[in-house]
Amino acid sequence: MVPEVEEAWVARELPDFCSRGPYVGTDDDEGLRSAILTASAEGWEGPATGVVARSLDAATGRQLAQAVKRGVVFSALGREESRLDTMGWAWQVLRMSEEAIASAASPWGYWTASTKNQVSRWRDAASPEESFDPSMMPIVSDPLPGECDAPLVGIGEIGPVLGGAVEALVVAGVDETLAWAGMRRVAELAMSASSRAHTSAAQDPRLADLGYSPAAARRMMTLVKGSRRGTKAPVLGLGPDQLRERAQEVADLVRDSGVPALTT
């Protein structure tokens, strides 16, 4: 349910639309402006409404990628669930602020910024807009289907031990929020069943939703615990150069998987 942010709030659901048809790219502010003005003049019931909806659908994965990621990390949504939810918020923002968006110098930029502010404030309340505080990471008590039963680990507990590894992941290109979230989940799995920790990481739905492929999740576990055969040392036994190299291996696997968990 969308929270009421002002007295004049009226819920506006994203309309049904055909995925095939014209849409406006994110590099075309004038095209978006024209589509919004036309849709408004049609009472949001004509062909232009479909153009705007398709434009949002095409743009969400890139234009609102950070908002989608925050939905996964801070609101415990699946990746596709977060994408659709973010689209819903964006549509609500558009309908509430259509005049301001259409008259902005950059309609795409204004719409994107307004949507990010709304989801950060109301949906992802634990996610600060300007900075990331690991202590704000939520504790999720309900396991995902098929998820390994693992003890909950707080960010404060792993920070002193694994903070350097997280920093190395960020330097290698992994988004900071997802680096902390992934490291926390790996630490939980590492404590659950040491003999199956690497397999559990590779099969863990939560790591998958965060954007870690099975290979990347397994390599993350190797970074933390070392290899199962003892050929690679755990994080506490790594020097600075080794830590950077191992973190880069994780980042490369995330990049190769095509999952948008890297900084841009």
Side-chain angles (χ1 to χ4, degrees):
M1 179 177 179
V2 178
E4 294 185 1
V5 295
E6 57 183 64
E7 291 183 3
W9 180 280
V10 177
R12 306 287 189 180
E13 294 186 1
L14 182 68
D16 293 332
F17 61 94
C18 178
S19 59
R20 296 183 179 180
Y23 67 94
V24 180
T26 54
D27 59 346
D28 186 0
D29 277 313
E30 292 308 315
L32 180 62
R33 190 193 319 278
S34 176
I36 291 173
L37 290 174
T38 303
S40 180
E42 295 173 347
W44 294 99
E45 294 181 351
T49 300
V51 173
V52 178
R54 280 190 294 272
S55 302
L56 173 60
D57 186 32
T60 298
R62 180 176 297 274
Q63 194 80 356
L64 292 168
Q66 290 299 322
V68 174
K69 290 178 184 178
R70 284 198 296 266
V72 173
V73 175
F74 291 95
S75 296
L77 300 174
R79 183 169 294 278
E80 179 62 13
E81 184 182 12
S82 181
R83 188 185 74 83
L84 294 174
D85 186 71
T86 301
M87 284 182 61
W89 277 97
W91 190 262
Q92 180 70 40
V93 167
L94 172 63
R95 294 301 309 277
M96 289 183 64
S97 308
E98 58 188 76
E99 292 184 7
I101 294 172
S103 62
S106 173
W108 272 118
Y110 192 98
W111 190 8
T112 299
S114 298
T115 300
K116 287 180 178 178
N117 287 338
Q118 286 297 312
V119 297
S120 177
R121 181 182 178 186
W122 297 106
R123 186 191 67 187
D124 310 324
S127 172
E129 183 65 22
E130 299 298 331
S131 62
F132 173 69
D133 179 359
S135 67
M136 299 294 286
M137 287 292 294
I139 294 178
V140 181
S141 59
D142 296 330
L144 294 172
E147 185 176 11
C148 175
D149 184 17
L152 294 176
V153 175
I155 289 294
E157 298 175 56
I158 69 171
V161 178
L162 300 177
V166 172
E167 181 179 354
L169 288 170
V170 173
V171 171
V174 179
D175 177 84
E176 183 177 7
T177 299
L178 293 179
W180 275 106
M183 189 62 70
R184 172 187 173 178
R185 183 57 187 161
V186 165
E188 291 174 346
L189 295 172
M191 294 174 59
S192 63
S194 59
S195 62
R196 298 190 66 256
H198 293 78
T199 300
S200 295
Q203 298 175 347
D204 187 60
R206 197 174 302 282
L207 284 172
D209 271 342
L210 289 173
Y212 294 92
S213 66
R218 189 184 293 272
R219 193 64 58 89
M220 178 88 96
M221 183 62 74
T222 298
L223 172 63
V224 172
K225 285 180 61 71
S227 61
R228 286 182 295 183
R229 298 177 182 272
T231 57
K232 291 187 176 182
V235 64
L236 293 179
L238 300 178
D241 291 341
Q242 291 175 305
L243 180 58
R244 283 193 294 270
E245 180 181 345
R246 297 270 286 276
Q248 190 63 58
E249 290 176 356
V250 175
D252 289 345
L253 284 171
V254 173
R255 181 181 295 108
D256 291 344
S257 71
V259 181
L262 295 178
T263 54
T264 56

